[in-house]
């Protein structure tokens, strides 16, 4: 079956530090890839997505590139803020609509 | 446009009781999903539906049932509640058409089984 493996957390960074959260996937065909963010006590919100190989998704300073050759979709941000503290989930959806999520990575940004 | 709504927000059940978690979306999305999220863990897919009258199992379907009689509604039924079903349940929907394939999530239902 399909799977998504995320870098284990928690991750603690100082404000303005560079962020990378690794995500690799296993799937048949050509899934779409997503990063979702979950703030405490809330549901998941879409952060960014990429629907085909070499696409780059970006939003709010975050970006990730769909790398089919390495089956990866790593999340990066050049300068994190305290308000970025949240849990980040990598996910895929196949063309048939079946979804798989990673276990999430908790990010804490300290002032 | 309310998006995806879930009821109830919280519920405590006794072992062996049954209940239905409600999910409704008003975006005319074809695809709907039920997930559970255990503390500190990711989302596990319980069931999903690609349209009215069609449902399919996800990773963790045991102990649950679903139906999809309309495009808008996708209720999740727990027949004999067990402590292992204590979790936060999220419903989501998606259009799944080309680039418009992201999932929109409801606020969740926190269920405790004692």
């Amino acid at each position: 079956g399909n799977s998504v493996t995320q870098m284990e957390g928690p991750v603690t960074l100082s404000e303005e530090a560079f962020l990378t959260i690794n995500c690799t996937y296993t799937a048949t065909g050509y899934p779409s890839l997503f990063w979702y963010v979950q703030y405490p006590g809330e549901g998941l919100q879409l952060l960014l997505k990429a629907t085909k190989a070499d696409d780059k998704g970006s939003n709010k300073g975050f970006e990730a590139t769909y790398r089919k050759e390495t089956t990866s979709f790593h999340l990066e941000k050049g300068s994190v803020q305290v308000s970025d503290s949240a849990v980040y989930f990598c996910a895929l959806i196949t063309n048939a609509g079946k979804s798989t999520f990673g276990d999430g990575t908790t990010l804490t940004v300290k002032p | 446009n309310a998006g995806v709504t879930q009821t109830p927000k919280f519920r405590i059940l006794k072992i062996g009781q049954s209940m239905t978690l409600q999910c409704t979306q008003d975006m005319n999305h074809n695809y709907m999903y039920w997930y559970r999220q255990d503390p500190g863990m990711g989302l596990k897919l319980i069931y999903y539906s690609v349209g009215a009258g069609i449902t399919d199992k996800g990773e963790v379907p045991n102990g649950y049932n679903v139906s999809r009689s309309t495009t808008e509604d996708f209720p999740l039924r727990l027949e004999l509640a067990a402590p292992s079903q204590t979790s936060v349940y999220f419903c989501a929907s998606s259009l799944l058409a080309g680039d418009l394939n992201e999932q929109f999530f409801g606020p969740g239902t926190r269920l405790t089984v004692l």
Side-chain angles (χ1 to χ4, degrees), chain A residues 64-75:
Chain A
T65 301
Y66 190 143
R67 300 284 187 206
K68 189 151 181 67
E69 64 275 13
T70 54
T71 61
S72 65
F73 194 53
H74 305 320
L75 182 69

Side-chain angles (χ1 to χ4, degrees), chain B:
Chain B
N1 198 342
V4 180
T5 56
Q6 291 183 238
T7 56
K9 286 190 168 51
F10 303 94
R11 184 73 186 267
I12 298 175
L13 284 182
K14 294 183 179 177
I15 295 172
Q17 286 185 320
S18 60
M19 77 164 293
T20 299
L21 282 66
Q22 302 291 345
C23 175
T24 300
Q25 54 90 10
D26 62 359
M27 298 175 282
N28 204 28
H29 284 174
N30 297 321
Y31 289 73
M32 295 188 74
Y33 304 80
W34 274 107
Y35 298 91
R36 59 176 288 171
Q37 184 180 29
D38 297 334
M41 302 294 288
L43 276 70
K44 300 296 183 187
L45 182 64
I46 305 172
Y47 272 95
Y48 68 110
S49 168
V50 303
I54 307 169
T55 62
D56 208 347
K57 295 178 180 178
E59 300 172 69
V60 291
N62 291 343
Y64 306 94
N65 278 301
V66 293
S67 58
R68 184 95 183 271
S69 55
T70 66
T71 300
E72 295 78 21
D73 300 307
F74 190 40
L76 178 72
R77 178 89 178 153
L78 283 71
E79 289 294 349
L80 290 170
S84 60
Q85 293 177 306
T86 293
S87 191
V88 180
Y89 292 82
F90 288 102
C91 179
S93 71
S94 166
L95 191 57
L96 206 80
D99 283 348
L100 301 175
N101 58 357
E102 64 263 34
Q103 294 184 4
F104 294 81
F105 283 81
T109 294
R110 186 175 295 275
L111 175 67
T112 302
V113 182
L114 300 174

Side-chain angles (χ1 to χ4, degrees), chain A residues 25-85:
Chain A
Y25 68 92
T26 303
T28 53
Y30 300 91
S32 294
L33 302 176
F34 302 83
W35 278 101
Y36 284 85
V37 60
Q38 185 179 34
Y39 298 101
E42 298 185 10
L44 275 72
Q45 305 171 27
L46 177 69
L47 180 60
L48 54 84
K49 69 177 185 182
T51 56
K52 58 184 186 296
D54 300 325
D55 266 3
K56 178 187 280 190
S58 60
N59 186 27
K60 299 180 183 178
F62 291 90
E63 55 184 39
T65 301
Y66 190 143
R67 300 284 187 206
K68 189 151 181 67
E69 64 275 13
T70 54
T71 61
S72 65
F73 194 53
H74 305 320
L75 182 69
E76 296 182 336
K77 187 174 185 183
S79 176
V80 293
Q81 306 300 313
V82 172
S83 57
D84 294 327
S85 298

